[in-house]
């Protein structure tokens, strides 16, 4: 029997094919996904007829006379398309299809069952086994061509999707690598920022100073610190730069230099005296100078709040100026808490802004807390803020707890209030505590 058919011919109970012009298979002309076809049939005549047409259409064709042989060929050279008879001795088409689907493959293989069965129940069994399509015997060449073209479209879409997924995965891997590098840099940046307040506690004789700095992210915009002025004077400050993250942290690093405890010549809060010693400038004057410096010399959208204090450790006199920072809390030796201050504009907003000093007197046993808004604006799950009242209650509860233990306990109280330790804002505080008078027995 010839393999080139010019007219449709029917082989009883077998396959019907006809001459096909390869150029008419438009969907398979441009980078086809189906190239290798495996024909599986126990009938040699059926295989020859199908293989002849497939080869004439430009496919690379292999054949197998049983399901077992087809599995072996599929493992050796995975086909893009399988045309398999349903009814075969030993392993039939359904069993072969199940085994074929269980094989590990880099890409999907399209599976068409050839059968004389056309009932809905049989088709359902075939689909359950993993078949993608059916051709009823005798096979019509035009229908075969159309089914192959449909399978080719599906495989091309699948492979395009795989390629896009590969590109997405490659991009995600690159992003993960960049994220890991950035995360590593941020961890180092956090260490550097924390080093700005490496001395968290200092005993100044008549009084102790303790510092709390906790960023809501890797790095933040809060900064607290102190700087010695003389043997009996110390400066304290709390800063809160607008925003969060790296740019705010860079701003705090620069501001730390302007209030340096290491290089008093660069500290804007100090002036050198004729004898070489240093004396404090009024806090309001220092804040005004910082305001002009930020507006005139820094190209930044950031501004910051600040509370600056000059503490006389002998007399207990504390002179402060407030620039938008929360009102500091003073707790007297008897436990009573009050909030003091005059508000004031943040630094870096208005050219020529004026600030004023105010002062308090502290006695043995009194303590002063300079804190950021991350403390009083700590929110409960229902949105209620801790506020000044809540902070006062915490300070009363911690009346007998002093130093770093007091600040750590404050943090835990805030966690209890917020029901989370993931605060929305940076938390910072300076705690100045005058030591109680010694008890004379």
């Amino acid at each position: 029997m010839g393999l080139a058919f010019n007219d449709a011919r029917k082989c009883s109970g077998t396959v019907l094919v006809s001459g096909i012009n390869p150029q008419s298979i438009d969907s398979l002309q441009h980078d086809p996904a189906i190239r290798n076809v495996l024909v599986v049939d126990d009938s040699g005549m059926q295989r020859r007829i199908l293989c002849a047409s497939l080869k004439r259409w430009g496919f690379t064709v292999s054949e197998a006379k049983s399901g077992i042989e087809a599995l072996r060929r599929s493992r050796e050279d995975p086909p893009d398309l399988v045309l398999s008879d349903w009814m075969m001795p030993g392993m039939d088409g359904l069993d072969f299809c199940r085994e074929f689907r269980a094989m590990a493959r880099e890409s999907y293989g399209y599976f068409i069952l050839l059968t004389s069965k056309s009932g809905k129940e049989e088709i359902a069994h075939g689909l359950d086994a993993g078949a993608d399509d059916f051709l009823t015997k005798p096979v019509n060449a035009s229908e075969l061509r159309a089914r192959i073209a449909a399978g080719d479209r599906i495989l091309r879409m699948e492979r395009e999707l795989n390629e896009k997924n590969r590109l997405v995965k490659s991009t995600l891997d690159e992003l993960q690598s960049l994220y890991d590098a950035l995360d590593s840099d941020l961890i180092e940046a956090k260490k550097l920022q924390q080093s700005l307040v490496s001395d968290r506690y200092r005993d100044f004789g008549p009084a102790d100073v303790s510092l709390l700095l906790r960023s809501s992210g890797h790095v933040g915009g809060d900064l607290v610190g102190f700087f010695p002025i003389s043997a009996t004077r110390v400066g304290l400050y709390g800063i809160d730069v607008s925003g969060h993250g790296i740019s705010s942290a860079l701003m705090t690093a620069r501001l730390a230099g302007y209030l340096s405890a290491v290089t008093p010549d660069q500290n804007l809060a100090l002036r050198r005296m004729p004898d070489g010693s240093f004396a404090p400038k009024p806090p309001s004057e220092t804040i005004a100078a910082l305001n002009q410096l930020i507006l005139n010399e820094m190209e930044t959208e950031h501004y910051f709040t600040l509370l600056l204090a000059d503490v006389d450790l002998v007399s207990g006199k504390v002179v402060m100026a407030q620039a938008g920072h929360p009102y500091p809390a003073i707790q007297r030796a008897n436990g009573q808490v009050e909030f003091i201050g005059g508000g004031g504009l943040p630094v870096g907003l208005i050219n020529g802004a004026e600030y004023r000093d105010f002062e308090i007197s502290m006695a043995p046993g009194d303590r002063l807390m300079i804190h950021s808004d991350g403390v009083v604006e700590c929110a409960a799950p229902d949105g209620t803020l801790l506020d000044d009242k809540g902070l006062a209650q915490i300070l009363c509860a911690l009346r007998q707890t002093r130093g770093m233990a007091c600040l750590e306990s404050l943090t835990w109280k805030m966690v209890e209030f917020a029901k989370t330790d993931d605060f929305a804002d940076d938390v910072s505080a300076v705690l100045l505590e005058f030591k109680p008078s010694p008890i004379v027995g």
Side-chain angles (χ1 to χ4, degrees):
M1 181 182 294
L3 297 181
F5 294 84
N6 295 320
D7 299 309
R9 298 184 182 179
K10 180 182 294 185
C11 299
S12 177
T14 59
V15 182
L16 176 66
V17 296
S18 62
I20 299 294
N21 181 357
Q23 301 301 319
S24 68
I25 310 178
D26 297 332
S27 63
L28 303 180
Q29 295 303 307
H30 304 290
D31 191 23
I34 295 178
R35 298 177 185 273
N36 302 317
V37 182
L38 174 61
V39 177
V40 188
D41 202 307
D42 60 314
S43 169
M45 176 68 71
Q46 313 262 354
R47 296 198 306 274
R48 284 195 298 273
I49 293 172
L50 283 172
C51 289
S53 296
L54 291 166
K55 289 176 181 177
R56 189 167 60 252
W57 296 342
F59 297 107
T60 300
V61 184
S62 59
E63 54 184 290
K65 61 183 178 181
S66 69
I68 297 296
E69 183 184 354
L71 274 177
R72 179 177 58 79
R73 289 186 177 275
S74 297
R75 291 189 179 101
E76 292 172 353
D77 185 16
D80 303 315
L81 168 66
V82 174
L83 295 174
S84 176
D85 189 21
W86 185 320
M87 301 302 296
M88 293 184 293
M91 177 181 285
D92 65 13
L94 286 187
D95 290 336
F96 166 51
C97 186
R98 292 188 186 97
E99 293 294 329
F100 180 80
R101 285 287 173 245
M103 292 170 52
R105 293 177 56 101
E106 291 185 2
S107 60
Y108 190 74
Y110 203 76
F111 199 105
I112 299 178
L113 271 175
L114 307 177
T115 178
S116 58
K117 301 181 179 183
S118 58
K120 293 181 179 180
E121 187 171 337
E122 286 81 5
I123 291 175
H125 283 316
L127 292 172
D128 286 341
D132 298 294
D133 207 346
F134 295 85
L135 276 173
T136 304
K137 293 180 177 180
V139 175
N140 177 276
S142 297
E143 185 178 5
L144 174 60
R145 178 200 64 191
R147 298 298 176 91
I148 293 175
D152 187 82
R153 288 194 299 271
I154 291 172
L155 290 189
R156 273 190 285 125
M157 287 189 290
E158 185 258 345
R159 291 173 190 180
E160 287 173 5
L161 180 60
N162 284 343
E163 177 61 18
K164 290 178 180 177
N165 287 339
R166 186 191 68 78
L167 291 174
V168 169
K169 183 179 183 304
S170 176
T171 301
L172 289 175
D173 288 343
E174 290 182 16
L175 289 175
Q176 184 64 49
S177 177
L178 290 172
Y179 173 83
D180 290 342
L182 180 59
D183 190 61
S184 177
D185 287 345
L186 286 173
I187 290 173
E188 292 303 312
K190 181 175 184 177
K191 293 177 183 176
L192 290 172
Q193 186 178 40
Q194 293 291 331
S195 72
L196 295 175
V197 286
S198 58
D199 196 356
R200 299 298 180 98
Y201 171 82
R202 179 75 64 85
D203 183 348
F204 286 98
D208 299 329
V209 175
S210 305
L211 303 179
L212 167 66
L213 180 62
R214 174 173 171 157
S215 301
S216 59
H218 280 298
V219 290
D222 279 16
L223 183 66
V224 288
F226 54 78
F227 51 90
I229 300 172
S230 67
T232 59
R233 303 279 285 275
V234 62
L236 309 175
Y237 62 86
I239 294 173
D240 184 359
V241 178
S242 61
H244 301 282
I246 296 173
S247 60
S248 298
L250 290 173
M251 186 76 163
T252 62
R254 185 163 185 180
L255 293 173
Y258 292 130
L259 297 171
S260 172
V262 179
T263 53
D265 282 322
Q266 298 178 15
N267 191 319
L268 294 183
L270 303 178
R271 60 166 58 95
R272 183 179 286 276
M273 304 303 289
D275 61 0
S277 63
F278 289 91
K281 298 177 183 176
S284 59
E285 181 182 324
T286 300
I287 296 177
L290 277 171
N291 185 64
Q292 292 306 119
L293 187 149
I294 299 301
L295 291 172
N296 296 337
E297 298 185 16
M298 294 188 190
E299 295 183 2
T300 178
E301 297 295 323
H302 287 298
Y303 60 89
F304 60 91
T305 65
L306 168 64
L307 194 137
L308 182 61
D310 167 22
V311 181
D312 188 320
L313 298 170
V314 175
S315 68
K317 177 182 175 182
V318 181
V319 180
M320 291 179 278
Q322 187 180 11
H325 215 63
Y327 296 101
I330 182 169
Q331 185 173 30
R332 300 299 181 181
N334 62 7
Q336 181 181 349
V337 178
E338 59 182 300
F339 292 87
I340 54 177
L345 292 169
V347 179
L349 281 182
I350 298 177
N351 193 26
E354 295 182 357
Y355 303 90
R356 65 183 185 84
D357 296 319
F358 62 95
E359 64 180 65
I360 59 171
S361 293
M362 298 184 67
D366 292 349
R367 61 184 180 184
L368 172 72
M369 177 175 285
I370 300 169
H371 52 275
S372 67
D373 58 7
V375 175
V376 290
E377 292 181 5
C378 175
D382 63 0
T384 303
L385 300 183
L386 182 65
D387 216 345
D388 290 345
K389 182 178 179 181
L391 177 57
Q393 291 174 345
I394 291 176
L395 288 175
C396 288
L398 300 176
R399 178 181 173 185
Q400 303 301 323
T401 308
R402 302 183 65 81
M404 292 302 301
C406 178
L407 294 179
E408 290 171 4
S409 298
L410 167 64
T411 303
W412 281 110
K413 294 287 186 181
M414 292 172 60
V415 169
E416 290 177 3
F417 180 80
K419 301 296 188 291
T420 178
D421 61 355
D422 186 16
F423 299 137
D425 198 1
D426 305 328
V427 173
S428 62
V430 181
L431 184 63
L432 168 69
E433 297 175 297
F434 276 86
K435 298 174 181 177
S437 298
I439 299 174
V440 179

